[in-house]
PDB file of all heavy atoms in Angstrom:
ATOM      1  N   ILE A 515      32.933  37.098  50.607  1.00  0.00           N
ATOM      2  CA  ILE A 515      31.636  37.486  51.167  1.00  0.00           C
ATOM      3  C   ILE A 515      30.650  36.330  51.046  1.00  0.00           C
ATOM      4  O   ILE A 515      29.818  36.108  51.931  1.00  0.00           O
ATOM      5  CB  ILE A 515      31.108  38.748  50.459  1.00  0.00           C
ATOM      6  CG1 ILE A 515      32.026  39.935  50.765  1.00  0.00           C
ATOM      7  CG2 ILE A 515      29.682  39.056  50.894  1.00  0.00           C
ATOM      8  CD1 ILE A 515      31.703  41.184  49.976  1.00  0.00           C
ATOM      9  N   GLY A 516      30.752  35.554  49.948  1.00  0.00           N
ATOM     10  CA  GLY A 516      29.900  34.382  49.789  1.00  0.00           C
ATOM     11  C   GLY A 516      30.139  33.348  50.875  1.00  0.00           C
ATOM     12  O   GLY A 516      29.200  32.714  51.374  1.00  0.00           O
ATOM     13  N   ILE A 517      31.403  33.183  51.272  1.00  0.00           N
ATOM     14  CA  ILE A 517      31.730  32.282  52.385  1.00  0.00           C
ATOM     15  C   ILE A 517      31.034  32.763  53.661  1.00  0.00           C
ATOM     16  O   ILE A 517      30.413  31.979  54.387  1.00  0.00           O
ATOM     17  CB  ILE A 517      33.252  32.212  52.605  1.00  0.00           C
ATOM     18  CG1 ILE A 517      33.932  31.532  51.402  1.00  0.00           C
ATOM     19  CG2 ILE A 517      33.590  31.458  53.897  1.00  0.00           C
ATOM     20  CD1 ILE A 517      35.442  31.665  51.406  1.00  0.00           C
ATOM     21  N   SER A 518      31.129  34.058  53.922  1.00  0.00           N
ATOM     22  CA  SER A 518      30.502  34.636  55.112  1.00  0.00           C
ATOM     23  C   SER A 518      28.988  34.478  55.066  1.00  0.00           C
ATOM     24  O   SER A 518      28.352  34.093  56.059  1.00  0.00           O
ATOM     25  CB  SER A 518      30.882  36.113  55.228  1.00  0.00           C
ATOM     26  OG  SER A 518      30.209  36.740  56.288  1.00  0.00           O
ATOM     27  N   GLN A 519      28.389  34.766  53.911  1.00  0.00           N
ATOM     28  CA  GLN A 519      26.943  34.676  53.783  1.00  0.00           C
ATOM     29  C   GLN A 519      26.456  33.235  53.889  1.00  0.00           C
ATOM     30  O   GLN A 519      25.381  32.965  54.441  1.00  0.00           O
ATOM     31  CB  GLN A 519      26.505  35.292  52.449  1.00  0.00           C
ATOM     32  CG  GLN A 519      26.698  36.792  52.399  1.00  0.00           C
ATOM     33  CD  GLN A 519      26.343  37.381  51.054  1.00  0.00           C
ATOM     34  OE1 GLN A 519      25.976  36.663  50.120  1.00  0.00           O
ATOM     35  NE2 GLN A 519      26.447  38.691  50.928  1.00  0.00           N
ATOM     36  N   GLY A 520      27.251  32.297  53.350  1.00  0.00           N
ATOM     37  CA  GLY A 520      26.886  30.897  53.461  1.00  0.00           C
ATOM     38  C   GLY A 520      26.948  30.399  54.887  1.00  0.00           C
ATOM     39  O   GLY A 520      26.165  29.527  55.300  1.00  0.00           O
ATOM     40  N   CYS A 521      27.869  30.949  55.667  1.00  0.00           N
ATOM     41  CA  CYS A 521      28.007  30.550  57.071  1.00  0.00           C
ATOM     42  C   CYS A 521      27.005  31.247  57.976  1.00  0.00           C
ATOM     43  O   CYS A 521      26.790  30.821  59.123  1.00  0.00           O
ATOM     44  CB  CYS A 521      29.419  30.854  57.567  1.00  0.00           C
ATOM     45  SG  CYS A 521      30.711  29.843  56.789  1.00  0.00           S
ATOM     46  N   GLN A 522      26.394  32.328  57.499  1.00  0.00           N
ATOM     47  CA  GLN A 522      25.494  33.126  58.330  1.00  0.00           C
ATOM     48  C   GLN A 522      24.367  32.309  58.973  1.00  0.00           C
ATOM     49  O   GLN A 522      24.134  32.421  60.190  1.00  0.00           O
ATOM     50  CB  GLN A 522      24.931  34.287  57.503  1.00  0.00           C
ATOM     51  CG  GLN A 522      23.993  35.215  58.259  1.00  0.00           C
ATOM     52  CD  GLN A 522      22.543  34.812  58.155  1.00  0.00           C
ATOM     53  OE1 GLN A 522      22.093  34.385  57.088  1.00  0.00           O
ATOM     54  NE2 GLN A 522      21.805  34.920  59.229  1.00  0.00           N
ATOM     55  N   PRO A 523      23.640  31.458  58.210  1.00  0.00           N
ATOM     56  CA  PRO A 523      22.597  30.662  58.880  1.00  0.00           C
ATOM     57  C   PRO A 523      23.165  29.698  59.920  1.00  0.00           C
ATOM     58  O   PRO A 523      22.521  29.445  60.948  1.00  0.00           O
ATOM     59  CB  PRO A 523      21.950  29.891  57.710  1.00  0.00           C
ATOM     60  CG  PRO A 523      22.314  30.655  56.478  1.00  0.00           C
ATOM     61  CD  PRO A 523      23.657  31.233  56.757  1.00  0.00           C
TER      62      PRO A 523
END
Side-chain angles (χ1 to χ4, degrees):
I515 294 172
I517 293 169
S518 175
Q519 291 177 358
C521 293
Q522 181 269 321

